[in-house]
Amino acid sequence: MKKEKKIIILLLVFLVTSVFYREIKLNNEKLTKEKILNETLAEKQEDIKIDTNQNAAQDIKISEVEKKEAPEVSLESNHEDKEIEIQVAKEWENQEQQEKIKTDDEITLEEKINLDNMEYVIKKGDTISDLSKEYKIKTDYIYANNVDQNLRVLQIGKKIKIPTEDGIFYSIKKGDTFESLSKKFDVDIKTIKEDNEIDRLLIGSKIFLREPKVSKYLNSFKTEYVKTNTLGKFSNPLVAMRITSGYGTRKHPVLKKVLSHGALDLKAKVGTKVMSAKDGVVSYAGRASGYGKLIIIKHSDGYETRYAHLSKIDVKKGQKISQNELIGLSGATGRVSGPHLHFEIRQYGKVKNPLSYLSIK
């Protein structure tokens, strides 16, 4: 019995000793870890302190360098900068104001644009070509809006119609329909209705046709452009005519002498189409002294017409020519001071005044 008690006591002592030893070991490990951690933190703090001191020292050095290098700013310099700043601010405000005014003007102009056939009075020096450029309207549309007049010759004081946009004002006739007008002028039906704000056509009313094809339309009024008289039935050699030098005596522009001028000098840029004034046969086509490039056409009753200073000849000697047929292009060949068409009419070799034979009045 005593032996068993001794064994139990020894076991208890062993257990208590084991537990106590384990606790001591755990405490030692914990202390060791804490010590290592504290040492690590201490090292990091020391490194941070060193870096901070170094950065601070470097900032001090940089600051000192900048102070040495930075130029001294005078009160006068500050004053100049302020003046520039004020000036630039004013310029900006002025620019913005100008842009605003410009924008307002553009809006106003856009609002004022209406589909209209405005009336224009021909002035000295006007040509259809010049009016086309000035009003930004194609020449065909100016002609088509004035089919009741002869615009081949512009008379000072004559009133003509110029549309505000490319197109023509057309009077509705019996039998016209949206479909027939669309086909005839190649204009979309929807566009016709929208431009004129209509859904039906009334005979006699005028409508606007936007950018139509008018070549056939103009051809149907050909007689309105080619007016003749009873003397020789000659038509005008140019589509649009303006006399720069008339028939009779004049001071020659090149020779500077007063000489007889047996022709008309008509304003024509290089390359302007020249047409035959009457049916006939080409009797000459080539260069001829002061005439430059020249075409002579023989007509009935002993008449002949001459077209001089051409840049191009499109006919040959012996060729039959119809009235208003294209024969060449105007130019500045021969003895001239500038490009134009020299036009003569002769009968049995004697010069005639073209004004008596053409529609020019």
Side-chain angles (χ1 to χ4, degrees), residues 288-294 306 308-310 333-335 342 344 346:
S289 186
Y291 278 109
K293 289 186 177 180
L294 170 70
R306 298 186 179 190
H309 309 314
L310 303 175
T333 58
R335 192 165 59 203
H342 172 101
E344 288 184 30
R346 297 188 178 213

Side-chain angles (χ1 to χ4, degrees), residues 247 262 302-304 306 344-353 357:
Y247 179 88
Y303 285 104
E304 73 174 36
R306 298 186 179 190
E344 288 184 30
I345 294 180
R346 297 188 178 213
Q347 187 178 32
Y348 300 114
K350 185 178 180 180
V351 293
K352 299 290 183 178
N353 185 353
Y357 295 82

Side-chain angles (χ1 to χ4, degrees), residues 170-208:
Y170 175 83
S171 295
I172 300 300
K173 300 177 180 61
K174 185 177 180 180
D176 283 337
T177 64
F178 285 114
E179 289 76 14
S180 65
L181 292 176
S182 176
K183 185 177 180 180
K184 181 178 180 179
F185 293 101
D186 194 21
V187 180
D188 184 64
I189 293 176
K190 183 180 178 182
T191 301
I192 298 174
K193 290 183 176 181
E194 287 180 352
D195 280 340
N196 298 279
E197 298 180 351
I198 56 174
D199 288 318
R200 63 194 185 97
L201 300 174
L202 298 175
I203 296 174
S205 64
K206 282 194 174 184
I207 64 170
F208 180 75

Side-chain angles (χ1 to χ4, degrees), residues 3 8 14 42 56 105 144 150 162 198 208 251 255 268 333-334 344:
K3 191 177 179 179
I8 292 170
F14 176 75
D105 288 345
N150 176 25
I162 300 178
I198 56 174
F208 180 75
K251 186 176 182 180
L255 301 177
T333 58
E344 288 184 30

Side-chain angles (χ1 to χ4, degrees), residues 249-268:
T249 58
R250 63 159 185 175
K251 186 176 182 180
H252 197 280
V254 178
L255 301 177
K256 306 301 180 183
K257 296 179 180 179
V258 177
L259 300 172
S260 177
H261 188 227
L264 293 180
D265 284 347
L266 304 172
K267 182 178 180 180

Side-chain angles (χ1 to χ4, degrees), residues 45 80 99 209 354:
Q45 288 176 352
E80 289 178 356
E99 289 177 356
L209 300 175

